[in-house]
Structure formats: C-alpha cells, structure tokens
Amino acid sequence: MKNVLHFLGSLVFLINSSCKAQQMVQTTADVPKLKTNEQQFINKPLKKLLDEIKPEIKIAYGNIGDPSYFSFRFIDTEEIKRIPLGSALGLYVYVKEPLEWYFEKREKGKEYQWTKEDVEKYGNLTVIRIKIGGKY
C-alpha cells in the first residue's frame, strides 16, 4: 500500500510539472498570434497579455490619446537606427483608460525602456484592441 501511494504521488507530481501552460509568443515570429487570438485579451488587464509574451520588450512608449495605446518593440534603440524606418516589428496595444506617460518624468537615458515598474503601474489597464505593424 505504501508503494502504491508513493507511486501515485510521483505520478501526480510528474503530470503537474509537465502540464504547465506554455506562453503563446515564444519568439517574435509568434507575435501575430496575439492578433489572431485578440478576443482572449479584449476587456482583460494588460498584464494578462504581457504574460503571454516570452521575448523581452526592449522599447516601449505610451501614446496619450483617445484611445491611448502602447507601442512595444523587441529590438533596442541601436538596432532600430540600423534598419529602415517602419520595418521593425511593432505590437500596439490600445487601452480603455487614459495613459499617464510622460518622458520628462522617466529616468534619463531610459525613457523608452519597459520596466517591471511599468508592468505594475500599467498592468491593470484594460485592453481594447491589438495591432501588429512592421515586418514579422
């Protein structure tokens, strides 16, 4: 009986560890999946969408408007300078609430860097639209 319980416990542990959900976007080539599955994210917090993205967001900015949106890029500023204008893959996430994104209030030299603090500050904003731009 002890061996059966030990076996069942081990089996449950193995099944649980192998069933972890994989992120939807493993590489930048997968970014269009976000648009394809847009309905999963509409009227949900931004952090839910961000949790599905594995590649690091290297550049971000918030556009204050109606509606407000975030522009995310997966390459750094040096790479952006070397490629043709508009060809970098861009993920645009429109949110319901107005943004408070002021470059002059962000750390000098890091105005376009997406940080963990940004995720905390903006993560509860409500996604209303996803758009993909550039080459992917």
Side-chain angles (χ1 to χ4, degrees):
M1 182 68 173
K2 185 177 180 182
N3 287 338
V4 171
L5 289 176
H6 182 59
F7 173 76
L8 289 175
S10 298
L11 184 63
V12 167
F13 175 76
L14 287 172
I15 290 171
N16 185 34
S17 63
S18 65
C19 290
K20 299 240 185 222
Q22 190 174 25
Q23 291 165 303
M24 185 181 298
V25 178
Q26 293 291 311
T27 68
T28 55
D30 296 333
V31 170
K33 290 180 182 178
L34 295 171
K35 180 65 178 172
T36 304
N37 296 292
E38 183 176 27
Q39 288 306 310
Q40 289 183 16
F41 305 107
I42 299 299
N43 295 318
K44 302 283 189 323
L46 175 63
K47 63 185 166 194
K48 181 175 181 350
L49 183 141
L50 295 173
D51 286 344
E52 292 295 326
I53 301 172
K54 184 176 182 179
E56 179 185 1
I57 295 170
K58 295 185 180 178
I59 298 175
Y61 71 86
N63 189 46
I64 301 170
D66 187 27
S68 298
Y69 68 89
F70 290 99
S71 173
F72 298 114
R73 307 287 176 170
F74 300 94
I75 60 175
D76 61 31
T77 52
E78 292 304 313
E79 291 174 279
I80 283 224
K81 292 175 186 175
R82 292 187 297 234
I83 62 173
L85 187 64
S87 65
L89 171 65
L91 170 62
Y92 303 93
V93 181
Y94 292 78
V95 293
K96 186 184 295 185
E97 300 83 3
L99 284 182
E100 293 183 14
W101 182 281
Y102 303 105
F103 289 102
E104 60 274 0
K105 292 183 180 179
R106 296 179 67 83
E107 187 178 339
K108 288 286 182 203
K110 296 183 178 182
E111 294 92 347
Y112 294 99
Q113 187 175 29
W114 185 250
T115 64
K116 290 181 182 178
E117 291 79 22
D118 291 326
V119 174
E120 289 178 23
K121 182 175 182 178
Y122 303 113
N124 288 322
L125 297 180
T126 308
V127 174
I128 59 171
R129 181 179 175 207
I130 298 171
K131 183 179 168 188
I132 310 294
K135 294 183 181 175
Y136 45 90

